[in-house]
């Protein structure tokens, strides 16, 4: 009798983790993604970038590695508060001077910085803190919208693939309608109809229009697994349809949903940036990478490139890392690879 090897006895997730650990690129990408998620957590709790709206520098302060120019130094001097000179014809001049002296004593004027680590925007906000806070919005939108889309796609695909017949025809009809329209046009159409801005609205737009990919894959998996022996055995012992669908089949196809979610996160982050850039995204007062790119298009004309570089660079690093990790995860969970 031959002994069973450890690879044969190990489960799917254990084998997948072994393959991921052997892939240095995948682990490096995972480290970058975890770093971004940690920044989102710290930003949402107020431990990082809570004061991103503070005007800590002069308008369009350049990055520190560029150096302050004469314009920035002149703006720093011009923005220092000055006492109002006394006016003999003003009966409130003495009271105003005393009030200014009291304010200056309790809140001494602070000179605004002429340079920052990666510059400032037109309001003097720190670009680094603004990028972290904008990443919180974009990443949360991508994660929550992907979770909603995968949940809907899994539920619809499970019902259609398991029951078949007219139920399958009905869901395929809806699937054909959604896929017949280009995704970006569908997103813009729903955004224009809702006529509301906000993170919740963006999540609903992306989640309600992005379920078609997970639906197609999960439907095929449920059709394949519904005819397998373990499902028939569960039926023979009296398991209900919902128990067979979500208690027996779903654990065996959950890796497909996980890979789909990792892929959709990347697409939804880019979709949020496009929506915010076009004015359908986050409202005024909420910052995201898309709103930063929207502001940066006017700054670029003036030669102020640092906000564009910060937002685009952060998004490029996250999207590239997430894509590399999603590809590696898909390969690691492929049962044909051993």
């Amino acid at each position: 009798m031959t002994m069973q090897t450890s690879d044969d006895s190990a489960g799917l997730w254990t084998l997948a983790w072994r393959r991921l650990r052997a892939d240095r690129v995948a682990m490096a990408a995972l480290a970058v993604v975890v770093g971004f998620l940690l920044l989102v957590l710290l930003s949402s709790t107020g431990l990082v970038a809570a004061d991103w709206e503070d005007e800590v520098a002069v308008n369009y302060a350049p990055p520190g590695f560029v150096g302050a120019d004469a314009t920035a130094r002149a703006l720093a001097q011009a923005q220092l508060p000055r006492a109002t000179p006394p006016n003999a014809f003003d009966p409130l001049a003495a009271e105003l001077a005393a009030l200014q002296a009291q304010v200056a004593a309790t809140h001494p004027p602070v000179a605004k910085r002429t340079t920052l680590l990666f510059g400032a925007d037109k309001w003097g906000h720190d670009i680094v803190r603004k990028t972290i806070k904008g990443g919180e919005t974009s990443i949360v939108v991508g994660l929550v919208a992907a979770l909603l889309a995968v949940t809907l796609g899994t539920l619809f695909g499970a019902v259609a693939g398991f029951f078949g017949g007219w139920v399958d025809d009905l869901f395929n009809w809806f699937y054909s309608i959604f896929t017949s329209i280009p995704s970006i046009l569908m997103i813009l159409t729903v955004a224009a109809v809702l006529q509301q801005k906000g993170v919740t609205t963006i999540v609903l737009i992306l989640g309600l229009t992005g379920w078609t990919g997970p639906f197609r894959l999960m439907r095929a998996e449920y059709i394949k697994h519904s005819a397998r022996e373990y499902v028939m055995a569960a039926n023979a012992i009296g398991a209900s349809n919902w128990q067979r669908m979500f208690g027996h089949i779903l654990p065996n196809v959950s890796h497909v949903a996980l890979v789909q979610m990792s892929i959709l996160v990347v697409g939804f982050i880019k979709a949020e940036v496009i929506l915010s850039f076009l004015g359908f995204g986050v409202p005024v007062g909420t910052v995201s990478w898309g709103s930063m790119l929207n502001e940066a298009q006017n700054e670029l004309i003036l030669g102020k490139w640092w906000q564009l570089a910060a937002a685009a660079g952060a998004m490029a690093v996250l999207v590239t890392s997430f894509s590399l990790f999603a590809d590696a995860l898909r390969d690691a969970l492929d049962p044909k690879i051993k």
Side-chain angles (χ1 to χ4, degrees):
M1 184 176 62
T2 58
M3 296 296 294
Q4 192 176 30
T5 64
S6 59
D7 283 348
D8 293 332
S9 60
L12 174 65
W13 298 105
T14 303
L15 294 175
W17 176 241
R18 290 176 183 173
R19 296 188 188 111
L20 281 177
R21 284 191 304 176
D23 191 342
R24 294 183 179 180
V25 175
M27 296 306 295
L30 178 61
V32 173
V33 171
V34 171
F36 272 94
L37 294 179
L38 182 61
L39 280 179
V40 169
L41 179 62
L42 295 176
S43 176
S44 61
T45 56
L47 298 177
V48 173
D51 54 349
W52 72 272
E53 290 185 288
D54 293 349
E55 299 179 7
V56 296
V58 299
N59 301 343
Y60 300 122
F65 54 85
V66 174
D69 52 13
T71 304
R73 286 190 289 266
L75 283 173
Q77 293 295 325
Q79 291 178 0
L80 284 175
R82 292 183 173 85
T84 304
N87 189 347
F89 300 99
D90 187 359
L92 300 178
E95 289 80 358
L96 181 60
L99 181 61
Q100 288 180 340
Q102 182 180 0
V103 171
T106 56
H107 298 82
V110 178
K112 294 184 177 180
R113 300 179 61 179
T114 56
T115 61
L116 287 173
L117 178 62
F118 212 84
D121 61 5
K122 64 179 178 180
W123 309 110
H125 302 153
D126 189 348
I127 291 296
V128 174
R129 299 175 188 173
K130 191 174 181 180
T131 303
I132 295 174
K133 195 66 179 178
E136 175 190 343
T137 303
S138 299
I139 295 173
V140 167
V141 166
L143 289 174
V144 178
L147 179 61
L148 176 60
V150 171
T151 301
L152 291 177
T154 301
L155 179 61
F156 296 163
V159 173
F162 186 83
F163 290 105
W166 67 269
V167 177
D168 189 24
D169 294 338
L170 178 63
F171 279 104
N172 279 324
W173 180 69
F174 277 110
Y175 170 80
S176 300
I177 292 175
F178 274 82
T179 55
S180 63
I181 303 174
S183 58
I184 188 63
L185 293 181
M186 175 67 74
I187 291 172
L188 293 177
T189 300
V190 177
V193 170
L194 292 179
Q195 286 294 323
Q196 291 183 355
K197 294 183 178 181
V199 174
T200 304
T201 303
I202 301 176
V203 168
L204 290 176
I205 291 171
L206 298 177
L208 295 177
T209 58
W211 58 269
T212 54
F215 165 80
R216 177 175 56 84
L217 295 176
M218 296 303 290
R219 172 182 172 271
E221 291 293 326
Y222 267 82
I223 291 175
K224 179 175 64 177
H225 282 263
S226 296
R228 292 194 170 176
E229 290 80 3
Y230 74 94
V231 180
M232 294 181 180
N235 184 33
I237 63 175
S240 65
N241 291 333
W242 294 102
Q243 287 176 336
R244 282 179 284 159
M245 289 168 59
F246 300 108
H248 294 83
I249 299 179
L250 183 60
N252 290 284
V253 299
S254 58
H255 61 281
V256 178
L258 181 61
V259 172
Q260 279 297 297
M261 183 171 177
S262 63
I263 294 174
L264 286 178
V265 168
V266 175
F268 287 165
I269 288 176
K270 294 187 289 186
E272 184 278 326
V273 170
I274 294 174
L275 285 174
S276 297
F277 181 79
L278 295 177
F280 292 102
V282 296
V284 177
T286 304
V287 63
S288 71
W289 288 339
S291 63
M292 291 178 65
L293 293 176
N294 193 6
E295 293 179 13
Q297 63 178 337
N298 297 324
E299 298 176 357
L300 194 60
I301 301 176
L302 303 176
K304 317 299 182 182
W305 49 266
W306 34 91
Q307 181 166 204
L308 174 66
M315 184 181 69
V317 170
L318 176 62
V319 168
T320 302
S321 300
F322 229 124
S323 299
L324 291 173
F325 176 70
D327 291 340
L329 181 63
R330 180 171 50 196
D331 294 339
L333 290 173
D334 190 345
K336 296 186 295 293
I337 299 178
K338 202 165 189 179

